């Protein structure tokens, strides 16, 4: 197949045996049971593994933490007088930036870019790994706060006890919030992470307000309180804490309880249907309650003007199991959806969206809303497992020449990289977006890196 043709004649990669009942009609292909040996894995070099491990996330984290660590050391040595006079600005500047990186509205704005391909790939990587800035600034802000509290304690003779006490409480709250977000806690103890990161973090925000007000209101030179408004608001600290408060509150202002219809095609999956359409590449957070246990899922929609959008929720824990066993009629959600990696798909002339299992929830919208994207979905008995709604959307919205639906129950596991490489070349793609589990993402990301295929998929 040639890219210049109006319709890609890719019915199935040549290396996979297939018998066509009707020539040219991919809907009537019968795939013979493969007798081929198990796929030979691509040998991945240590350098490639290191490049993928040391992703833009970790590079951002390293730069931010290194810069702040050097700054703290210089401040301790008396070589950074600006920081000595404006410690609060460094504390709150870092924490405000950390909050900004996780703000849904800010993330949506950042995705509105259309540079050349080499820059687009770098921009996509940057947008995917903004969490590195979030983590780096949060840890750095905590380091600056710790330094400041130690400095206050060292000069306790000229500092008011109330200022020192609120500084210590603020520090403890921020440290607990940061520690609760460490990957192991976040991945293995989601509810523990959420409660501590959110509620202890909010406590830290309240005490930050008190700490800033008391710190700005106390004159440590004369040992008296000065509650003049100009004195309190003239510092950078106050503007940073105002900005941080707005960024934290903004997503919650748009939290709503909405009607939801739940389809249970199998014991493994719940398909949630919401009113109104969505642009592609967005993810939504949902919960049974207004402030607890929010979980993020990809949204499926035929476009902004569609009547509905959907979420595919695979049973993995108590929350998703509850959706199957006790389907809700209403559910809490944030009306401002946050952008996922697929939201950058308009940046590319042609691309491939490959997903396994419930990953279809984050992948399908891109292919429904753009004729330039090819869908590869690997799953077990997809129509029976995921239901007629999802199958119907694919049937009506993704033409046969733009899709490969691999039923691993009938065909066993494919040679994923061979399938992906052949499709990538035939489709003339510029990029591959991957949504799978940890093992699947790792295998495909390493394989694509070895083959020189630009690909994005977290692991």
């Amino acid at each position: 197949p040639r890219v210049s043709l109006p319709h890609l004649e890719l019915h199935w990669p040549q290396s996979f045996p297939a018998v066509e009942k009707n020539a040219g009609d991919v809907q009537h292909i019968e795939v013979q049971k493969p007798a081929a040996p198990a796929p030979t894995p691509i040998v991945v070099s240590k350098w490639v593994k290191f490049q993928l491990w040391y992703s833009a996330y970790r590079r951002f984290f390293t730069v931010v933490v290194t810069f702040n660590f050097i700054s703290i050391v210089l401040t301790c040595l008396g070589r950074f007088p600006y920081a000595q006079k404006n410690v609060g600005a460094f504390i709150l500047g870092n924490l405000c930036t950390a909050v900004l990186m996780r703000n849904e509205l800010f993330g949506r704005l950042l995705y509105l870019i259309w540079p050349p391909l080499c820059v687009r790939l770098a921009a996509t990587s940057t947008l995917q790994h903004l969490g590195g800035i979030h983590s780096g600034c949060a840890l750095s802000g905590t380091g600056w706060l710790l330094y400041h509290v130690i400095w206050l304690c060292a000069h306790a003779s000229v500092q008011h006890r109330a200022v020192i006490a609120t500084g210590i409480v603020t520090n403890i709250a921020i440290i607990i919030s940061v520690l609760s977000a460490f990957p192991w806690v976040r991945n293995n103890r989601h509810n523990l992470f959420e409660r501590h990161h959110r509620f202890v973090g909010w406590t830290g925000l309240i005490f930050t307000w008190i700490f800033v007000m008391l710190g700005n209101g106390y004159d440590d030179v004369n040992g008296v309180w000065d509650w003049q408004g100009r004195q309190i608001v003239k510092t950078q600290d106050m503007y940073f804490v105002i900005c941080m408060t707005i960024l934290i509150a903004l997503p919650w202002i748009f939290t709503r309880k909405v009607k939801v219809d739940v389809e249970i095609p199998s014991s493994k999956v719940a398909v949630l249907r919401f009113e109104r359409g969505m642009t592609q590449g967005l993810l939504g957070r949902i919960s049974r309650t207004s402030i607890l246990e929010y979980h993020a899922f990809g949204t499926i929609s035929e476009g902004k003007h569609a009547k509905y959008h959907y979420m595919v929720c695979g049973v993995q824990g108590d929350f998703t199991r509850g959706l199957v066993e006790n389907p809700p009629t209403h559910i809490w959600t944030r009306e401002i959806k946050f952008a996922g990696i697929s939201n950058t798909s308009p940046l590319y002339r042609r691309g491939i969206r490959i997903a396994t299992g419930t990953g279809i929830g984050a992948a399908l919208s891109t292919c429904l809303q753009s004729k330039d994207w090819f869908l590869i979905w690997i799953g077990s008995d997809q129509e029976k497992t995921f239901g007629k709604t999802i199958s119907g959307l694919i049937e009506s919205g993704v033409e046969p020449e733009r899709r490969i639906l691999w039923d691993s129950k009938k065909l066993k596991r494919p040679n994923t990289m061979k399938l992906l490489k052949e499709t990538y070349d035939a489709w003339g793609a510029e990029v591959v977006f991957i949504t799978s589990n940890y093992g699947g993402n790792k295998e495909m990301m390493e394989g694509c890196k070895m083959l020189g295929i630009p690909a994005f998929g977290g692991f």
Side-chain angles (χ1 to χ4, degrees):
R2 301 180 65 84
V3 175
S4 59
L5 294 177
H7 296 288
L8 185 70
E9 297 293 338
L10 176 66
H11 294 161
W12 206 260
Q14 295 178 359
S15 59
F16 294 95
V19 177
E20 297 186 17
K21 284 185 176 180
N22 298 314
D25 187 355
V26 77
Q27 291 177 306
H28 296 282
I29 288 179
E30 287 185 354
V31 181
Q32 299 172 352
K33 292 185 178 180
T40 304
I42 295 176
V43 179
V44 182
S45 67
K46 292 182 179 179
W47 172 240
V48 166
K49 290 183 178 181
F50 174 77
Q51 286 180 292
L52 291 173
W53 177 83
Y54 197 58
S55 62
Y57 182 104
R58 290 184 170 89
R59 293 196 293 272
F60 280 137
F61 182 86
T62 301
V63 170
V64 171
V65 171
T66 301
F67 171 79
N68 280 277
F69 177 76
I70 293 173
S71 299
I72 291 173
V73 171
L74 292 175
T75 304
C76 292
L77 296 175
R79 301 293 183 88
F80 197 175
Y82 177 81
Q84 287 179 313
K85 295 178 181 179
N86 298 277
V87 176
F90 280 85
I91 296 170
L92 293 169
N94 272 286
L95 295 178
C96 187
T97 303
V99 173
L100 182 65
M101 292 301 107
R102 284 294 188 240
N103 182 268
E104 285 90 340
L105 186 58
F106 177 74
R108 292 282 293 278
L109 293 174
L110 282 185
Y111 275 73
L112 302 176
I113 52 176
W114 284 271
L117 178 59
C118 60
V119 180
R120 279 179 277 155
L121 293 171
T124 301
S125 180
T126 299
L127 293 169
Q128 183 185 19
H129 296 293
L130 287 175
I133 302 176
H134 168 78
S135 301
C137 286
L139 189 61
S140 299
T142 305
W144 278 107
L145 181 58
L146 183 61
Y147 159 79
H148 188 43
V149 171
I150 292 173
W151 186 90
L152 289 175
C153 292
H155 297 80
S157 58
V158 295
Q159 294 294 331
H160 197 281
R161 291 181 179 179
V163 177
I164 296 174
T166 53
I168 292 173
V169 174
T170 304
N171 211 335
I172 292 172
I174 298 298
I175 288 174
I176 292 173
S177 181
V178 169
L179 290 177
S180 68
F182 270 55
W184 185 90
V185 179
R186 189 176 64 245
N187 295 333
N188 296 285
R189 297 288 186 271
H190 181 270
N191 291 343
L192 178 70
F193 149 71
E194 189 178 38
R195 289 189 178 97
H196 286 76
H197 197 63
R198 178 170 301 154
F199 296 115
V200 179
W202 288 352
T203 302
L205 177 63
I206 293 171
F207 275 96
T208 298
W209 271 99
I210 299 172
F211 187 37
V212 169
M213 297 286 286
L214 293 179
N216 290 350
Y218 185 70
D219 182 354
D220 56 0
V221 176
N222 299 311
V224 296
W225 293 99
D226 182 2
W227 294 112
Q228 295 180 8
R230 183 180 302 176
Q231 172 66 23
I232 294 175
V233 302
K234 73 177 183 179
T235 62
Q236 300 175 57
D237 311 20
M238 180 59 68
Y239 297 103
F240 275 124
V241 76
I242 290 173
C243 180
M244 185 167 62
T245 303
I246 293 172
L247 290 172
I248 291 174
L250 191 61
W252 295 98
I253 294 174
F254 294 94
T255 300
R256 300 286 187 274
K257 189 174 185 179
V258 299
K259 182 179 180 297
V260 62
D261 296 309
V262 183
E263 176 187 353
I264 312 294
S266 68
S267 60
K268 299 178 181 178
V269 172
V271 178
L272 278 60
R273 188 183 74 180
F274 300 86
E275 294 182 355
R276 79 185 178 98
M278 292 279 176
T279 188
Q280 62 84 33
L282 300 182
L283 294 91
R285 292 188 173 97
I286 58 173
S287 174
R288 294 264 191 173
T289 66
S290 57
I291 60 174
L292 280 175
E293 288 194 52
Y294 274 86
H295 298 261
F297 299 93
T299 60
I300 299 174
S301 179
E302 295 168 294
K304 290 186 291 185
H305 303 294
K307 190 174 182 181
Y308 303 111
H309 69 275
Y310 306 85
M311 290 183 181
V312 177
C313 307
V315 174
Q316 294 181 336
D318 294 339
F319 177 79
T320 47
R321 188 178 298 108
L323 294 176
V324 172
E325 296 176 352
N326 182 25
T329 57
H330 291 77
I331 204 161
W332 288 90
T333 185
R334 296 182 186 177
E335 294 291 271
I336 296 181
K337 311 303 180 186
F338 65 100
I341 193 66
S342 290
N343 203 238
T344 63
S345 62
L347 299 178
Y348 301 97
R349 185 176 58 84
R350 275 195 164 192
I352 294 174
R353 199 64 174 87
I354 183 168
T356 64
T358 55
I360 192 65
L364 183 53
S365 273
T366 301
C367 300
L368 289 175
Q369 296 183 32
S370 173
K371 303 295 184 181
D372 299 321
W373 281 77
F374 192 100
L375 175 66
I376 301 176
W377 184 22
I378 303 169
S380 177
D381 201 356
Q382 289 107 319
E383 183 170 353
K384 182 178 179 181
T385 303
F386 294 89
K388 294 184 178 180
T389 297
I390 301 302
S391 297
L393 287 169
I394 295 174
E395 186 70 24
S396 62
V398 185
E399 299 83 0
E401 59 269 20
R402 287 198 302 119
R403 71 185 189 224
I404 293 176
L405 308 180
W406 187 280
D407 187 348
S408 58
K409 184 176 182 179
K410 295 179 181 178
L411 307 175
K412 307 302 180 184
R413 184 187 177 192
N415 186 331
T416 309
M417 286 314 305
K418 187 174 181 66
L419 175 65
L420 187 54
K421 172 63 174 173
E422 291 183 358
T423 309
Y424 175 83
D425 291 337
W427 186 245
E430 290 183 329
V431 70
V432 174
F433 288 165
I434 303 165
T435 304
S436 184
N437 54 25
Y438 176 86
N441 282 334
K442 184 174 185 293
E443 175 190 348
M444 286 184 271
M445 285 293 293
E446 290 178 345
C448 287
K449 191 74 172 178
M450 290 296 294
L451 296 173
I453 298 174
F456 298 93
F459 70 90

